[in-house]
Amino acid sequence: MKFAYKFSNLLGAFYRHGNLCFSKDGNSVISPVGNRISVFDLKNNRSETLPASTTKNISCLGISPDGSLAILIDEDGAAILVSLVTRAVLHHHHFHSPVHSVSFSPDGRKFVITKENVALMYHAPGRNREFNAFALDKSYYGPFDETTCIDWTDDSKCFAVGSKDMTTWIFGAERWANLIYYSLGGHKDIIVGCFFENDSLDMYTVSQEGTLCVWESDTALEGLRKGPKYSERKKMEEKKKREEGESNEDDDVEDIVGEDGETRGDVIKGSADTPKQVEGIKNVRYSQRSKHYFNKAGDFNKLTAAAFHKKTHILVTGFASGAFHLHELPEFDLIHSLSISDQRISTIAMNPTGDWIGFGCSGLGQLLVWEWQSESYVFKQQGHFNNMNSLAYSPDGQYLVTGGDDGKVKVWNTNSGLCFVTFTEHSSGVTNVAFTSSGFVVVSASLDGTVRAFDLHRYRNFRTMTSPRPAQFSSLAVDSSGELVCAGSQDSFEIFLWSMQTGRLLEVLSGHEGPVSNLCFSPVQSVLASVSWDKTVRLWDMLDSWQTKETLRLTSDGLAVTYRPDGQELAVASLDGEITFWTPQTGGQTGSIAGRHDLQMGRKETEKITAKQSFTSLCYSADGESILAGGQSKFVCIYNIKEHVLMKKFEISCNLSLDAMEEFLDRRKMTEFGSLSLVDEGTGDGDGVELSLPGVKRGDMSSRRFIPEIRVSSLCFSPTGRSWAAASTEGLLIYSLDASLVFDPYDLDMDVTPASIRKQMKTKEWASAILLSFRLNEMPLIREVLEAVPYDQITVVCSSLPDVYVDKLLNFVASTLEKSNHLQFYLSWAQCLLTLHGQKLKNRSGAVLPTVQQLLKSIQRHSDDLSKLCDWNIYNIRYAAALSKQRGMKRTAAESLSDEDEEEEESGVR
């Protein structure tokens, strides 16, 4: 069970590329992040990343009307069908070319995808089991260039497709006699969005140059008529032609027949000519009602995204400048005009009620949800703009801090998966971050030559530490007391030591002859370990004039160093791919692991030789029995230290859109002119940059093509031992133990069954029932037994438990308390266990420490929630009391005034 870690969540990535979708209830937004999708619960302020993934970055996604199914399509056209209920992949399909958009019909029976210049309509997968979940129904041809967008009528009778050829095509989803296809023009640029009016065939089309066309149909949806079948029409036309002596011509509709002679579906070909009219049925006609322009005279702001809510008639448009407009149609009345960033808005979506608008900016990786009526943000999150370099857990495991190349320090809540504070004081990339032992101070080192300390109570930078002369800090460490802060320089080969209390520089430690690559303080002593490229590890005594206590010689350049949680062992990673273990007290080597073959580093598309295999990040598990190791590879290895063997390899990503993912180069991409990856493709990628002249390149002028490289820059185990995190190119990946999916019995025999356990519960043998349930080790059953124990019997049961089951019960209580509503009940269990067995638990504190930290994390979380609730109640009671007091004063004043009036009247009468 120790190595049964599974992918749990992806933090630090909110939007990459593709379209956003809202859930059926409108309370969650679904966003593509690389080759996965994340679901952000806006009501409960939580995020979850689904374990299902595509082979490349997701280009578009579609959600079924009932919210149970999602179709994810990647850049190459490979699609997967995912159940949003079970989170399982149900079907794989390949469309063999890039897909631009996908949309389910409102009734959920069909869905349409657009690729190249064709729209393909499929039967939507239903509840019946099918061999092929994607069955092609019809193919629709008409546009002369690539298709861009789709929209359906409310009754699923027709759909519209926008194209890069500046036209919008309307097709009948069924065999309508008066609407086979219809083409709308009127634009001078690419169609960005096409939208049907509510319960109508009237249309709005929006193009990239900022033009809105309003189209009016002369036929209502109820006016669509089913004519004779196409086969019957064909026979009738042929008969008529024979009678008139005319030659046969190509028809509008024909069958697609495969190579094996099997019919694949219908193809509807549009042409410039008007479809032939069936006798007695008038064809649908469109007329342009009005035309509106978003840009003022002389301005040109490219329109990049659009969304329309049919019931409220609200049109939202986003532009390349980061601005967005809200208009009410069809009058084109401007409601709002705001700017959310200086980057282009890539996608817009509206929730079913029309209250919330979701925006995605791929340039910044930003996801926003805005409530337009109250003009406030419901959700606003952004990951690191560039690479994520470092991470650290807080002592209670409740928070994570990350630093990136964009100079930002972000603090994340591990329960919600969201960032709650961002510090932007650094002017260059952040290389390392750390928490102090209190958990309320974050320290960061940067290439701008500063080490900064941030207060998590007031959210401010309260201490800035610098060196006497400019230096670029590449490593950082904080001692267990939180008083000493040290940072290693990569250009002067020195280590700088400051006091956290005063911010003064205490000492400059010299001795290394190469850049200092990593630093680590001992958890139990004031000893600093530093590793350098000069092939040495130095141990510095902080109590004895900061002298070098020991120097350990390595066989290659040192890259990473870390202490075991009990401080009795030191692990060092070197450039030759070895992990060596040392005893700090004696300076002797106790073992080594050759991991160069386990890492399996991939090769970049432009490289002809494989790079050296080496680990750049190490981290001990909470119990100190295993070690995590990662580097510039898609694999993270976990080793058993005692046996020096590889226990498991975690593949953090299978996204082939990243570079260095494959160990061997594809020879098919090698030509006589070099690698195909160096050849320019296309004329821009739709981000507002056009390649108008031959030889002009977009983006970085120093390279023709830039692909992010897969790597793991930092690893960290949670102090609770239940999870670990990896800072990678994909984002911040969390792997945790999912106990409900693992069957791990303990001391099992034939008599240990759920029936025998429930029998013990009926006879009120609580202690025996608890022992049997832990031997079977099924979490729901253990919970059932514990919650059946009477409150007054908890102390008796705890006192009769054997020592080996005390640890197991305490671990279960700590993990259950975090999510359970029975707060007092489980706190009573924890209190009794710690009171009755505290001394024995203290003797084996090393093994019990992760469980105690998990318990502290759970208690702290409930304490924060309750304190917020109590404060809210106190403020409400005070407000109600003040309000009643104010009303009482008003009532008293009114009564006194009425008494005075009565007295005046009486005196007047006299």
Side-chain angles (χ1 to χ4, degrees):
M1 177 139 176
K2 183 179 292 185
F3 304 105
Y5 293 95
K6 295 186 180 296
F7 174 77
S8 173
N9 207 352
L10 174 63
L11 281 63
F14 298 98
Y15 173 76
R16 293 278 172 81
H17 179 68
N19 60 298
L20 299 175
C21 289
F22 276 91
S23 60
K24 183 184 177 182
D25 58 5
N27 293 329
S28 299
V29 63
I30 301 166
S31 171
V33 285
N35 65 335
R36 292 186 171 99
I37 59 169
S38 292
V39 181
F40 299 98
D41 189 342
L42 307 176
K43 198 172 184 180
N44 299 314
N45 203 35
R46 297 180 69 87
S47 74
E48 179 191 6
T49 303
L50 271 61
S53 61
T54 56
T55 53
K56 286 197 173 183
N57 286 336
I58 295 171
S59 62
C60 57
L61 66 95
I63 308 297
S64 62
D66 60 0
S68 61
L69 296 175
I71 296 176
L72 316 180
I73 307 175
D74 68 13
E75 296 168 345
D76 284 347
I80 59 172
L81 179 67
V82 180
S83 168
L84 296 178
V85 179
T86 64
R87 307 312 200 228
V89 177
L90 305 178
H91 185 66
H92 290 263
H93 187 82
H94 208 299
F95 294 106
H96 303 295
S97 59
V99 174
H100 304 108
S101 54
V102 57
S103 177
F104 276 87
S105 62
D107 60 7
R109 297 172 58 191
K110 305 284 179 68
F111 71 89
V112 171
I113 65 105
T114 61
K115 65 172 187 175
E116 298 172 343
N117 67 332
V118 62
L120 303 176
M121 186 165 69
Y122 288 82
H123 293 285
R127 297 184 179 180
N128 299 326
R129 292 190 177 184
E130 300 167 301
F131 176 74
N132 182 13
F134 288 5
L136 180 63
D137 184 23
K138 294 183 183 69
S139 301
Y140 296 86
Y141 291 88
F144 297 100
D145 204 342
E146 292 183 353
T147 47
T148 56
C149 53
I150 310 170
D151 191 50
W152 286 84
T153 55
D154 288 334
D155 56 2
S156 305
K157 289 182 178 179
C158 302
F159 66 91
V161 174
S163 171
K164 287 185 178 180
D165 66 0
M166 301 174 285
T167 61
T168 304
W169 290 76
I170 302 168
F171 296 105
E174 299 180 37
R175 302 174 185 273
W176 305 117
N178 52 345
L179 180 58
I180 301 174
Y181 60 85
Y182 202 98
S183 177
L184 303 175
H187 290 281
K188 297 179 181 178
D189 210 338
I190 296 171
I191 303 297
V192 175
C194 54
F195 312 103
F196 281 104
E197 182 57 270
N198 188 34
D199 290 327
S200 173
L201 281 172
D202 295 348
M203 280 215 71
Y204 304 104
T205 56
V206 182
S207 61
Q208 202 173 69
E209 89 274 11
T211 304
L212 167 70
C213 288
V214 181
W215 303 92
E216 190 172 12
S217 170
D218 64 352
T219 308
L221 281 172
E222 296 77 14
L224 294 176
R225 296 286 180 264
K226 285 191 177 182
K229 292 184 179 180
Y230 293 122
S231 56
E232 296 176 2
R233 285 180 57 189
K234 191 173 180 181
K235 292 177 181 178
M236 289 167 61
E237 287 174 5
E238 287 179 354
K239 184 179 179 181
K240 189 175 181 180
K241 287 176 183 178
R242 280 198 303 270
E243 291 175 356
E244 296 176 358
E246 295 178 357
S247 59
N248 291 332
E249 296 179 358
D250 292 339
D251 298 305
D252 291 325
V253 181
E254 61 186 22
D255 285 337
I256 300 177
V257 181
E259 295 176 358
D260 55 356
E262 185 179 344
T263 301
R264 304 294 188 195
D266 292 334
V267 55
I268 298 178
K269 293 182 178 178
S271 65
D273 301 329
T274 307
K276 296 177 181 178
Q277 186 168 312
V278 179
E279 292 182 9
I281 300 177
K282 185 182 177 183
N283 280 352
V284 174
R285 298 280 180 180
Y286 277 89
S287 59
Q288 191 180 96
R289 180 176 168 185
S290 58
K291 196 171 186 178
H292 306 280
Y293 300 93
F294 292 95
N295 297 319
K296 297 179 182 177
D299 295 343
F300 181 70
N301 191 6
K302 191 167 285 188
L303 193 149
T304 56
F308 178 67
H309 192 262
K310 297 180 181 180
K311 293 182 180 178
T312 57
H313 306 284
I314 299 295
L315 175 69
V316 188
T317 49
F319 296 85
S321 63
F324 70 93
H325 299 331
L326 264 75
H327 288 87
E328 187 174 7
L329 299 182
E331 291 81 9
F332 199 68
D333 296 331
L334 181 65
I335 301 173
H336 287 298
S337 179
L338 295 170
S339 179
I340 57 175
S341 70
D342 56 354
Q343 297 286 325
R344 69 187 289 268
I345 298 175
S346 305
T347 181
I348 300 176
M350 296 186 75
N351 73 336
T353 60
D355 298 327
W356 293 348
I357 307 169
F359 299 95
C361 301
S362 59
L364 296 173
Q366 195 174 38
L367 177 63
L368 302 99
V369 179
W370 193 66
E371 188 173 29
W372 65 273
Q373 290 173 332
S374 63
E375 300 184 31
S376 61
Y377 285 111
V378 178
F379 185 86
K380 187 178 182 180
Q381 291 284 313
Q382 179 182 341
H384 286 284
F385 180 65
N386 288 322
N387 292 329
M388 194 181 294
N389 291 329
S390 179
L391 71 96
Y393 267 102
S394 63
D396 60 359
Q398 200 163 359
Y399 303 120
L400 265 168
V401 61
T402 58
D405 280 343
D406 55 359
K408 293 179 181 177
V409 176
K410 289 179 172 286
V411 188
W412 310 82
N413 188 313
T414 55
N415 293 319
S416 67
L418 302 177
C419 172
F420 63 90
V421 62
T422 301
F423 301 106
T424 58
E425 280 77 6
H426 284 295
S427 58
S428 187
V430 177
T431 54
N432 221 312
V433 290
F435 268 100
T436 59
S437 56
S438 66
F440 300 116
V441 175
V442 170
V443 187
S444 62
S446 171
L447 296 175
D448 63 3
T450 63
V451 174
R452 297 177 183 268
F454 304 96
D455 183 4
L456 291 186
H457 283 305
R458 296 177 180 83
Y459 299 142
R460 64 186 180 94
N461 173 210
F462 71 92
R463 193 78 72 229
T464 302
M465 292 158 273
T466 58
S467 56
R469 52 187 176 275
Q472 290 185 316
F473 298 123
S474 58
S475 52
L476 174 75
V478 183
D479 76 331
S480 56
S481 66
E483 172 58 26
L484 297 177
V485 179
C486 62
S489 170
Q490 66 180 16
D491 44 11
S492 65
F493 312 156
E494 294 170 329
I495 301 170
F496 298 89
L497 188 68
W498 295 273
S499 167
M500 176 71 81
Q501 196 75 24
T502 62
R504 287 179 51 244
L505 180 67
L506 300 177
E507 188 65 35
V508 179
L509 307 179
S510 302
H512 281 297
E513 299 173 0
V516 179
S517 52
N518 206 353
L519 299 172
C520 185
F521 268 104
S522 169
V524 293
Q525 294 177 319
S526 292
V527 176
L528 173 69
S530 63
V531 64
S532 170
W533 291 7
D534 61 4
K535 303 181 182 179
T536 62
V537 176
R538 291 179 178 266
L539 303 181
W540 310 82
D541 194 342
M542 299 290 104
L543 301 179
D544 187 14
S545 303
W546 302 295
Q547 298 296 320
T548 304
K549 181 181 177 182
E550 196 77 47
T551 301
L552 312 177
R553 300 289 174 183
L554 304 175
T555 57
S556 185
D557 298 5
L559 300 179
V561 62
T562 184
Y563 269 98
R564 201 166 69 184
D566 60 1
Q568 302 303 310
E569 190 176 72
L570 195 69
V572 183
S574 53
L575 190 62
D576 57 2
E578 281 203 6
I579 303 173
T580 53
F581 300 95
W582 307 77
T583 304
Q585 289 77 12
T586 62
Q589 183 175 342
T590 58
S592 66
I593 296 173
R596 66 177 68 91
H597 299 299
D598 299 330
L599 200 57
Q600 289 183 353
M601 287 180 64
R603 287 166 66 177
K604 296 182 185 178
E605 291 184 351
T606 55
E607 288 180 344
K608 295 184 178 179
I609 59 172
T610 306
K612 285 189 175 181
Q613 316 272 340
S614 56
F615 296 109
T616 58
S617 181
L618 295 176
C619 180
Y620 274 96
S621 62
D623 57 7
E625 294 181 4
S626 54
I627 191 167
L628 272 175
Q632 291 190 341
S633 168
K634 63 179 178 179
F635 291 107
V636 172
C637 303
I638 186 166
Y639 294 94
N640 184 291
I641 298 171
K642 187 177 180 181
E643 303 294 337
H644 292 172
V645 293
L646 176 69
M647 299 302 295
K648 190 171 183 179
K649 273 183 11 177
F650 299 92
E651 186 178 10
I652 61 169
S653 177
C654 60
N655 188 358
L656 296 180
S657 295
L658 301 174
D659 205 358
M661 283 293 294
E662 296 179 294
E663 192 174 358
F664 302 102
L665 292 179
D666 190 350
R667 295 295 176 187
R668 293 174 296 181
K669 294 182 180 180
M670 299 300 294
T671 65
E672 58 181 322
F673 305 106
S675 175
L676 285 175
S677 61
L678 296 175
V679 179
D680 285 332
E681 295 180 2
T683 58
D685 58 355
D687 60 354
V689 180
E690 295 291 341
L691 304 183
S692 55
L693 297 175
V696 176
K697 298 172 294 201
R698 72 168 277 280
D700 183 9
M701 299 301 289
S702 65
S703 63
R704 292 182 176 222
R705 192 177 175 200
F706 173 74
I707 303 177
E709 181 185 352
I710 185 68
R711 67 168 182 166
V712 176
S713 54
S714 183
L715 291 167
C716 191
F717 245 106
S718 170
T720 63
R722 301 286 302 175
S723 62
W724 57 269
S728 70
T729 314
E730 289 274 76
L732 184 57
L733 298 158
I734 308 292
Y735 285 78
S736 62
L737 289 172
D738 192 352
S740 62
L741 300 177
V742 180
F743 178 63
D744 185 22
Y746 174 78
D747 195 18
L748 191 64
D749 57 33
M750 295 294 291
D751 297 331
V752 182
T753 62
S756 63
I757 294 170
R758 291 188 175 93
K759 186 177 180 182
Q760 295 287 341
M761 290 168 59
K762 287 181 180 178
T763 58
K764 298 185 179 181
E765 297 288 338
W766 307 116
S768 176
I770 289 173
L771 295 183
L772 290 175
S773 63
F774 273 104
R775 287 172 67 182
L776 193 61
N777 207 10
E778 286 190 359
M779 297 303 154
L781 192 58
I782 296 173
R783 190 180 298 109
E784 181 185 341
V785 173
L786 275 187
E787 293 179 359
V789 177
Y791 182 76
D792 55 356
Q793 295 291 315
I794 292 177
T795 307
V796 179
V797 173
C798 288
S799 61
S800 60
L801 287 176
D803 292 345
V804 66
Y805 288 97
V806 170
D807 294 3
K808 292 180 177 295
L809 181 55
L810 188 63
N811 188 22
F812 177 81
V813 169
S815 59
T816 307
L817 181 62
E818 187 174 1
K819 298 180 180 179
S820 176
N821 295 326
H822 305 299
L823 185 57
Q824 184 183 359
F825 182 75
Y826 281 106
L827 282 176
S828 301
W829 277 102
Q831 183 182 11
C832 289
L833 288 170
L834 294 174
T835 305
L836 297 172
H837 302 277
Q839 189 59 44
K840 294 179 181 178
L841 291 172
K842 189 177 180 181
N843 295 335
R844 51 182 188 275
S845 58
V848 181
L849 182 61
T851 303
V852 175
Q853 287 174 329
Q854 172 81 5
L855 187 63
L856 283 172
K857 176 186 174 184
S858 304
I859 294 172
Q860 183 65 40
R861 183 190 169 197
H862 283 294
S863 174
D864 293 344
D865 292 344
L866 283 174
S867 62
K868 289 178 183 177
L869 184 62
C870 292
D871 290 343
W872 176 256
N873 290 339
I874 289 171
Y875 297 147
N876 281 341
I877 292 169
R878 287 178 181 173
Y879 175 74
L883 202 62
S884 63
K885 186 178 179 181
Q886 188 178 9
R887 287 178 177 174
M889 291 172 64
K890 286 182 179 179
R891 193 180 298 112
T892 306
E895 289 175 356
S896 62
L897 286 173
S898 63
D899 292 342
E900 290 176 3
D901 292 341
E902 289 177 1
E903 289 176 0
E904 288 177 359
E905 289 176 359
E906 289 177 359
S907 61
V909 170
R910 288 173 187 168

